[in-house]
Amino acid sequence: MNAPVENSLSEAGLSAAGAAGFLHRYEGLRARLPGIGLPWLAALRDRAAEAFRAQGFPTRRVEAWKYTDLAPLTQTGFGEPLTPVESALPLPRHAAPKRVVFVDGRFSAELSDADVPVRSLARHLPELEGRLGALARTDDLPLVALNTALFEDGALIELGPDEDGGVVELLSVTRADRPVTAHPRHLVRLAEGARLVLIERSWGHGESRYLHSPVFEVEVAAGAHITHARIQQEASAGLHLSTVFARVAEGGTYDSFLLHVGAKLSRSEAHVALVGPKAAAHLNGAQLLGDGQHGDCTTFLDHAAPDCPSRQTVKTVLAGRSRGVFQGKIHVHQVAQRTDGYQMNQALLLSDQAEIDSKPQLEIYADDVKCSHGATVGELDENQLFYLRARGIPAAVARSMLIEAFLQEAIEGVTEESARAALSEAVAGWWERNAA
């Protein structure tokens, strides 16, 4: 149901006020941002700032944001993370043999492992003209425009033909001891036949409200394969608004799994284009939302070439007064004959105060396709709970077992062992923590 006009107008006012604050910050920081001496980058930032000025923060009057309200963002006075990167941070343990760390959006060589195929984007900006920003849209995506204007650093991953980058964990830490923002920009380019397993973990430390708003640009060349496991474990008051752009060439694969566990408000948006024959995309995920949390998984899958398969299963578990959103759109161009697309959203409600908004969509212009979508909403099976309780299993443990079993189908679709283990670890014990 659309918001009343008067509420929409007040949202528009909040959006404009919040946007003005960020634009003021951009003007103040403009001369200090990395790459200011590069004319092409300065022009890119200025165009993005103007695009953000024209759009403001999206409100619920925008169809794609109908179910997610950014008022907590526009009502907070954010500052910039002025203090230097510190090594004395209680970082979570490694989820991969190699790890690279960003703190408040900036690369930390001291906290990162050596011999990792990841470089600091800020240190290599002169090499990136024509590549940085090639996939990311700013004219109709204001959060991407804001990131483009304000980013300070990010990960640069470039693999050569047939190169195997192994398993790499990209850990983004935001120190939530004050209201700050981090806008890292990550650029991943896989040449023909290259392979990479990227475990991206977003993690917050502290109690204050903060904003972590990363943007990824992922280029997958012919025959290349990337597994991108995304684990959002922000602090309880954090705001996480991320966007991924992926372009997949002939025979390439973008295999992604998104897990929302933390943050007060989170939205992960993915724009994936299959541009070569037999390119493939998997956009699976899960959201585990406790009392007071809002999680939004939004995807746009563009089939622009023939013989391309895509799979998407997103499962959402909601406890207390939480709200989950799933929006998934598959667009099949006329040239994309023999497309095979599947999309499913399943929700498990653990409370009568929880809410799920599900909006799967198909837009098909080709004749020879096999596409389907669906959504289901349910509760825990009382018979299964009784069966476990009758065998002496405590109620909280029994519920946790059933919740993890509900999620297991989606997680088992991650074929890379390290990524699957990291996801399973983040899910384990979630109900016991939220039932306390």
Side-chain angles (χ1 to χ4, degrees), residues 85-117:
V85 171
E86 300 172 359
S87 59
L89 288 171
L91 301 182
R93 69 178 181 83
H94 282 64
K98 303 174 183 178
R99 178 171 69 176
V100 60
V101 180
F102 288 80
V103 179
D104 294 341
R106 300 166 180 170
F107 174 71
S108 170
E110 184 178 358
L111 297 175
S112 300
D113 296 331
D115 192 29
V116 179

Side-chain angles (χ1 to χ4, degrees), residues 241-396:
L241 303 171
S242 66
T243 310
V244 172
F245 297 91
R247 178 183 170 91
V248 188
E250 179 178 1
T253 301
Y254 178 71
D255 188 359
S256 172
F257 193 100
L258 166 70
L259 177 62
H260 279 172
V261 180
K264 183 74 170 179
L265 168 66
S266 61
R267 174 176 166 120
S268 292
E269 190 169 309
H271 300 257
V272 180
L274 304 178
V275 298
K278 298 184 179 180
H282 306 145
L283 301 179
N284 299 319
Q287 300 188 96
L288 289 86
L289 305 175
D291 189 49
Q293 287 184 281
H294 180 108
D296 182 335
C297 174
T298 293
T299 62
F300 301 89
L301 187 54
D302 203 29
H303 281 261
D307 302 301
C308 293
S310 66
R311 296 290 181 269
Q312 184 172 27
T313 298
V314 176
K315 299 198 172 191
T316 304
V317 181
L318 302 107
R321 193 182 295 272
S322 60
R323 183 173 185 178
V325 178
F326 169 76
Q327 299 181 107
K329 182 174 182 178
I330 298 177
H331 180 197
V332 182
H333 293 254
Q334 186 174 8
V335 70
Q337 301 296 331
R338 297 173 299 283
T339 287
D340 182 2
Y342 172 81
Q343 182 185 83
M344 173 60 71
N345 176 224
Q346 296 175 315
L348 184 63
L349 301 180
L350 305 179
S351 164
D352 58 7
Q353 296 179 311
E355 178 181 340
I356 179 71
D357 296 293
S358 186
K359 186 182 175 185
Q361 301 175 80
L362 298 175
E363 186 174 343
I364 301 172
Y365 297 95
D367 300 321
D368 184 7
V369 302
K370 183 173 68 174
C371 292
S372 63
H373 66 181
T376 65
V377 179
E379 301 175 344
L380 287 177
D381 190 319
E382 292 297 330
N383 291 329
Q384 292 177 345
L385 277 174
F386 178 79
Y387 177 87
L388 295 174
R389 293 296 309 281
R391 279 147 183 79
I393 299 175

Side-chain angles (χ1 to χ4, degrees), residues 193-279:
R195 301 183 66 85
L196 176 68
V197 177
L198 182 63
I199 301 175
E200 174 207 345
R201 188 191 298 269
S202 300
W203 188 76
H205 174 64
E207 301 297 330
S208 294
R209 179 175 290 175
Y210 64 87
L211 169 64
H212 179 212
S213 182
V215 170
F216 276 83
E217 295 182 84
V218 182
E219 188 81 40
V220 183
H225 186 290
I226 180 171
T227 297
H228 188 184
R230 312 181 63 207
I231 305 174
Q232 183 272 106
Q233 293 176 300
E234 304 282 9
S236 59
L239 308 176
H240 179 95
L241 303 171
S242 66
T243 310
V244 172
F245 297 91
R247 178 183 170 91
V248 188
E250 179 178 1
T253 301
Y254 178 71
D255 188 359
S256 172
F257 193 100
L258 166 70
L259 177 62
H260 279 172
V261 180
K264 183 74 170 179
L265 168 66
S266 61
R267 174 176 166 120
S268 292
E269 190 169 309
H271 300 257
V272 180
L274 304 178
V275 298
K278 298 184 179 180

Side-chain angles (χ1 to χ4, degrees), residues 42-190:
L44 181 69
R45 289 191 188 276
D46 285 343
R47 287 195 302 270
E50 286 307 308
F52 181 67
R53 187 188 308 276
Q55 298 171 82
F57 283 111
T59 71
R60 288 177 294 174
R61 299 173 69 186
V62 178
E63 182 63 25
W65 289 85
K66 180 178 179 180
Y67 305 113
T68 297
D69 185 3
L70 290 184
L73 170 62
T74 60
Q75 293 170 351
T76 301
F78 292 104
E80 59 177 311
L82 293 173
T83 54
V85 171
E86 300 172 359
S87 59
L89 288 171
L91 301 182
R93 69 178 181 83
H94 282 64
K98 303 174 183 178
R99 178 171 69 176
V100 60
V101 180
F102 288 80
V103 179
D104 294 341
R106 300 166 180 170
F107 174 71
S108 170
E110 184 178 358
L111 297 175
S112 300
D113 296 331
D115 192 29
V116 179
V118 182
R119 297 177 289 169
S120 164
L121 185 82
R123 299 175 187 175
H124 295 273
L125 286 171
E127 309 163 20
L128 300 179
E129 183 176 4
R131 291 187 284 170
L132 183 66
L135 301 183
R137 301 201 318 266
T138 58
D139 56 341
D140 62 341
L141 297 174
L143 292 176
V144 177
L146 181 64
N147 173 284
T148 303
L150 287 174
F151 81 87
E152 296 183 62
D153 205 348
L156 175 61
I157 304 175
E158 295 182 297
L159 300 183
D162 298 317
E163 183 177 354
D164 189 344
V167 182
V168 176
E169 180 187 22
L170 195 164
L171 176 62
S172 292
V173 181
T174 308
R175 294 168 299 172
D177 51 0
R178 62 216 183 287
V180 300
T181 67
H183 308 273
R185 186 61 163 264
H186 306 298
L187 183 61
V188 182
R189 296 172 60 87
L190 274 61

